[in-house]
Amino acid sequence: MTLKTKNKFTIFAGIIANKYAMIERNLYMKQIRPFMNRPFIKVIAGIRRCGKSVVLQLIAEELERQGVAKEHIVYINFESFEWMDIADAKALYLYIKDKVKKTDGKTYILLDEIQEVKDWEKAVNSFMVDWDVDVYVTGSNSRLLSSELSTYLAGRYVSFHIMPLSFNEYLLFHGINPDSKEVLREEFQKYLRMGGFPAVHTGSYSYEAIYKLVYDIYSSVILRDTVQRHGIRNVELLERVVRFVFDHIGNRLNAKNIADYFKSQQRRVDINTVYNYLDALQGAFIIQRVPRYDIKGKEQLQTNEKYFVSDLSLVYAVMGYKDRMISGALENIVYWEMKRRGYDTFIGKQDNREVDFVGIRKDEKIYVQVTYRMESDATVEREFAPLLAISDHYPKYVVSMDNVWQDNIEGVRHRHIADFLTDENW
């Protein structure tokens, strides 16, 4: 088993290195490095196929650069049939115990898709108590990022949310260093259509092929991380809820809206069922609920939230690409970019006006309005007025896809979305 495992790790490392050598995902490595060789379990979570395994490999490579011998690194991918016998905490504990006995000094344990192991938290907690280890786990369910972990791991963990490729990562992945705004904006158009799942960027695929690949990811997430994990029986209704949410990206939405819609279609649906389905979809990282924030009152509100999807290609794979969805799609991209940069992000309420996003990061704030184009004076008024009404001096932006309209108004800046996403200074 030892030699087999060692060979498996070498093969894994080679495949990943060859496939994704162009991108280091430094955004996440910068977050993780300070906790390496520290007594915390590193919990790395995100939707399936977003690149968690690559981050795990980057961690292994970082450890080797620090002088850790390969035989001190234990890697298990629980999606592999090879590890099907390690199905519960006891089996995992006994296997790792055997590995630890055979090494002198610290053992580094990398466990990929850990949610496949029943009660894994108990085993991992025991690792930290019983041995000199440094533990990293990945998983495809948000429970790995939730406060529920505190019950088992008692303050012993730190969590990281891995997302599909950002626009900046897309450029790095393809080796693009745009030397003109024209090139940058052309590439953004491609990114808007392709989405950020790394797999679709490993070859030259048509949009049709990309959406087929992404639909297979979506089906896996729905089946394994939603239906099976939550014991959902009415899969057809779940799919209808998904389609409704996808069709309303960027619009105010809640469980009651969805239940009322089904009622209008002569189909009675219990509102608690809708809540449960939305929670399950959020738990699988398919969607993300974004609450509202009262800018004047400086408090979070509980009504009229929005939902965004973890990657736009999921919408296109399920619904097809539709130009009419462009405004919501742009909002979706800006929302996740703000989250990547560490902002707690909300829908803003300013009296009777709405600000698309309020981002809060420690003592910093940023306000962002997102629109497709400044097509008329009425559009300019609609997008700038809510920001102009805010009296503080934090940065305020209107973001669009305009190539010509470039005015700033009384300190509120207008940016093309491609320029905004690649600007490090906000």
Side-chain angles (χ1 to χ4, degrees):
M1 176 67 83
T2 303
L3 180 60
K4 190 175 183 181
T5 303
K6 188 174 179 181
N7 287 341
K8 176 180 173 59
F9 182 81
T10 303
I11 292 169
F12 158 81
I15 291 171
I16 295 298
N18 289 336
K19 239 181 168 184
Y20 299 111
M22 292 180 67
I23 180 165
E24 293 292 322
R25 306 219 76 174
N26 285 327
L27 172 67
Y28 305 109
M29 290 305 296
K30 285 180 181 178
Q31 297 172 20
I32 294 169
R33 281 191 190 100
F35 296 96
M36 298 178 74
N37 281 302
R38 297 289 186 269
F40 298 98
I41 300 157
K42 274 64 73 173
V43 178
I44 300 164
I47 192 169
R48 289 182 187 271
R49 305 297 174 259
C50 69
K52 299 185 299 295
S53 296
V54 173
V55 171
L56 211 57
Q57 170 58 18
L58 291 171
I59 291 168
E61 292 175 357
E62 183 89 6
L63 291 169
E64 289 184 33
R65 282 195 294 271
Q66 294 174 5
V68 177
K70 286 185 178 181
E71 55 266 27
H72 284 248
I73 301 174
V74 179
Y75 166 80
I76 303 175
N77 183 348
F78 289 104
E79 286 195 314
S80 170
F81 190 75
E82 181 173 353
W83 306 104
M84 67 172 295
D85 291 337
I86 303 180
D88 58 31
K90 184 176 181 179
L92 176 60
Y93 181 85
L94 292 174
Y95 177 79
I96 297 297
K97 181 179 180 181
D98 182 64
K99 303 296 291 183
V100 171
K101 280 183 178 179
K102 296 176 181 178
T103 59
D104 295 323
K106 188 184 289 288
T107 302
Y108 296 82
I109 303 170
L110 286 67
L111 306 175
D112 208 355
E113 297 296 350
I114 189 66
Q115 77 277 346
E116 302 298 330
V117 178
K118 184 180 179 181
D119 296 329
W120 65 269
E121 305 95 330
K122 298 177 182 178
V124 170
N125 188 55
S126 293
F127 299 167
M128 303 294 289
V129 172
D130 296 347
W131 308 311
D132 183 13
V133 295
D134 192 21
V135 182
Y136 304 80
V137 302
T138 78
S140 301
N141 193 281
S142 67
R143 183 171 178 271
L144 273 73
L145 294 176
S146 75
S147 59
E148 294 176 46
L149 280 178
S150 300
T151 304
Y152 301 98
L153 304 184
R156 294 177 181 270
Y157 76 98
V158 59
S159 58
F160 308 92
H161 181 188
I162 309 300
M163 307 172 203
L165 301 178
S166 67
F167 181 49
N168 285 301
E169 288 179 314
Y170 160 86
L171 295 172
L172 287 171
F173 200 102
H174 290 279
I176 297 167
N177 184 18
D179 53 5
S180 71
K181 290 187 180 296
E182 183 180 355
V183 172
L184 187 67
R185 294 170 187 186
E186 286 175 0
E187 292 301 328
F188 176 76
Q189 292 275 8
K190 297 176 187 176
Y191 173 74
L192 176 65
R193 291 291 303 271
M194 297 171 75
F197 283 108
V200 308
H201 298 283
T202 59
S204 181
Y205 299 111
S206 66
Y207 290 131
E208 181 181 2
I210 286 171
Y211 303 152
K212 173 65 172 69
L213 289 169
V214 174
Y215 191 82
D216 290 342
I217 295 171
Y218 165 79
S219 297
S220 176
V221 173
I222 285 289
L223 177 64
R224 299 172 67 178
D225 298 319
T226 309
V227 174
Q228 292 178 355
R229 187 162 301 281
H230 295 271
I232 293 174
R233 296 181 179 180
N234 194 338
V235 180
E236 185 264 345
L237 178 60
L238 174 67
E239 293 266 16
R240 284 177 174 267
V241 171
V242 170
R243 287 177 172 273
F244 189 88
V245 175
F246 281 7
D247 201 35
H248 289 79
I249 294 297
N251 297 329
R252 282 182 265 183
L253 186 65
N254 55 40
K256 185 178 184 303
N257 299 147
I258 299 171
D260 288 347
Y261 167 76
F262 284 123
K263 185 178 180 181
S264 73
Q265 301 295 307
Q266 285 74 53
R267 178 166 186 163
R268 296 190 63 83
V269 177
D270 180 64
I271 191 169
N272 289 324
T273 299
V274 178
Y275 274 120
N276 291 336
Y277 286 3
L278 291 174
D279 286 345
L281 293 167
Q282 190 164 227
F285 294 105
I286 295 175
I287 60 174
Q288 176 66 51
R289 174 183 171 273
V290 184
R292 295 173 77 220
Y293 178 84
D294 188 323
I295 294 171
K296 282 189 174 180
K298 298 181 180 179
E299 61 180 355
Q300 188 171 320
L301 304 173
Q302 300 300 319
T303 59
N304 291 324
E305 61 265 27
K306 292 185 180 182
Y307 284 86
F308 292 103
V309 63
S310 61
D311 192 77
L312 286 170
S313 62
L314 291 166
V315 178
Y316 308 150
V318 173
M319 308 282 290
Y321 178 82
K322 301 173 183 176
D323 286 332
R324 66 174 175 80
M325 300 176 72
I326 186 66
S327 294
L330 298 179
E331 282 190 39
N332 204 96
I333 290 172
V334 169
Y335 169 75
W336 286 112
E337 184 63 25
M338 293 177 70
K339 294 292 288 183
R340 287 185 184 95
R341 299 194 187 200
Y343 287 97
D344 291 326
T345 305
F346 305 91
I347 309 304
K349 175 185 176 294
Q350 172 78 350
D351 295 325
N352 61 343
R353 291 173 167 149
E354 185 175 284
V355 176
D356 287 333
F357 298 115
V358 179
I360 302 173
R361 185 175 64 187
K362 295 182 180 178
D363 296 329
E364 304 172 30
K365 279 186 185 178
I366 184 173
Y367 303 96
V368 185
Q369 286 284 87
V370 184
T371 190
Y372 176 41
R373 293 192 189 281
M374 299 293 189
E375 296 176 323
S376 66
D377 290 342
T379 304
V380 174
E381 165 67 18
R382 184 186 70 227
E383 302 303 332
F384 276 86
L387 300 180
L388 291 169
I390 300 171
S391 59
D392 66 38
H393 299 290
Y394 293 109
K396 302 173 183 68
Y397 294 92
V398 174
V399 174
S400 76
M401 289 187 68
D402 283 285
N403 291 316
V404 178
W405 203 99
Q406 297 296 325
D407 286 355
N408 301 323
I409 300 178
E410 297 179 28
V412 177
R413 301 185 63 190
H414 173 263
R415 303 294 304 278
H416 188 283
I417 188 169
D419 301 332
F420 181 74
L421 295 174
T422 53
D423 183 355
E424 298 179 358
N425 298 315
W426 58 267

